[in-house]
Amino acid sequence: SDLIRSRRLVHSMRNTNNIPLSKIKSALERLTPMHQRRWGKMSVEQMLDHLVRFSEITLGKRKVGWMTGLAGKIAGKKILKWILSKNHLTFPKNIGTFPEVMPSKDQLNFEQQRTRLVLLLNELEQSTGTLQHPIYGKISTETAQKLFSIHVAYHLVQFGCDFQES
């Protein structure tokens, strides 16, 4: 089943420098509006908005368009497997994304965006069982947490908010 394949994927990827969600939270607390991007085009506020949108999709709080949904049905599992084979340091820079997670071009409040992201992180951290992801299909919450960890860690490094060893 999809769930068994999803769990096997996570199990096979355990050694890829997955950042624990507790370290993600600590790094988010250290992030400031003064952090400058090392690559890409987003501001720090837009990066947070992008991650909020991504998290809302994962948690079923935001819908995707029919084209993104179709792309997910066709290639979602392969894309997920590829993403889970990476970590925040090996994920390619400046890769495109789907339209539903493009950040707002409006003025964004840093603290509001960071707070929203931390609340979504807490919700994902407390989730159990499975989630029906509109792009990747049915995935375990463990898979969703790993996906979140890779994605957020990648963007934190993008803005020079690296993970301290502790």
Side-chain angles (χ1 to χ4, degrees), residues 13 15 31-32 40 43 54 72 75 95 142 152 159:
M13 302 300 154
N15 299 326
L31 186 69
T32 71
S43 68
F54 182 85
I95 194 164
E142 186 180 16
V152 177
F159 280 86

Side-chain angles (χ1 to χ4, degrees), residues 144-166:
Q145 291 166 359
K146 176 152 178 58
L147 185 63
F148 184 91
S149 172
I150 293 167
H151 194 178
V152 177
Y154 166 84
H155 284 296
L156 288 171
V157 170
Q158 177 187 15
F159 280 86
C161 193
D162 297 323
F163 297 90
Q164 299 168 346
E165 295 303 316
S166 53

Side-chain angles (χ1 to χ4, degrees), residues 2-164:
D2 287 345
L3 180 58
I4 291 170
R5 278 194 296 274
S6 176
R7 286 195 174 138
R8 281 185 190 143
L9 276 174
V10 169
H11 183 70
S12 68
M13 302 300 154
R14 287 195 197 278
N15 299 326
T16 60
N17 300 328
N18 189 28
I19 304 293
L21 295 180
S22 60
K23 283 196 173 203
I24 298 269
K25 285 183 197 178
S26 295
L28 282 170
E29 289 172 12
R30 289 192 309 275
L31 186 69
T32 71
M34 300 299 114
H35 277 91
Q36 297 295 309
R37 65 181 175 258
R38 294 173 172 170
W39 69 85
K41 298 178 183 176
M42 292 187 286
S43 68
V44 69
E45 293 85 5
Q46 286 176 318
M47 177 268 290
L48 291 169
D49 185 54
H50 164 74
L51 291 171
V52 164
R53 290 166 185 259
F54 182 85
S55 303
E56 288 173 341
I57 288 170
T58 300
L59 290 165
K61 297 172 179 284
R62 181 181 288 268
K63 302 230 182 275
V64 299
W66 71 270
M67 190 70 114
T68 300
L70 179 62
K73 286 191 186 316
I74 293 169
K77 289 294 182 193
K78 287 183 183 191
I79 293 168
L80 179 62
K81 183 177 182 179
W82 178 79
I83 292 169
L84 293 177
S85 74
K86 307 290 178 199
N87 65 45
H88 68 287
L89 299 174
T90 61
F91 204 83
K93 294 178 174 83
N94 298 315
I95 194 164
T97 191
F98 46 99
E100 293 83 356
V101 297
M102 293 299 286
S104 174
K105 295 198 185 312
D106 296 337
Q107 185 70 30
L108 296 165
N109 179 286
F110 175 86
E111 288 300 332
Q112 286 176 343
Q113 292 301 316
R114 182 170 60 180
T115 299
R116 286 176 66 203
L117 184 58
V118 169
L119 289 172
L120 290 162
L121 165 61
N122 289 338
E123 187 175 339
L124 182 59
E125 191 174 33
Q126 294 167 9
S127 296
T128 59
T130 61
L131 300 169
Q132 185 61 42
H133 197 286
I135 298 168
Y136 307 124
K138 187 182 283 190
I139 59 174
S140 69
T141 53
E142 186 180 16
T143 298
Q145 291 166 359
K146 176 152 178 58
L147 185 63
F148 184 91
S149 172
I150 293 167
H151 194 178
V152 177
Y154 166 84
H155 284 296
L156 288 171
V157 170
Q158 177 187 15
F159 280 86
C161 193
D162 297 323
F163 297 90
Q164 299 168 346

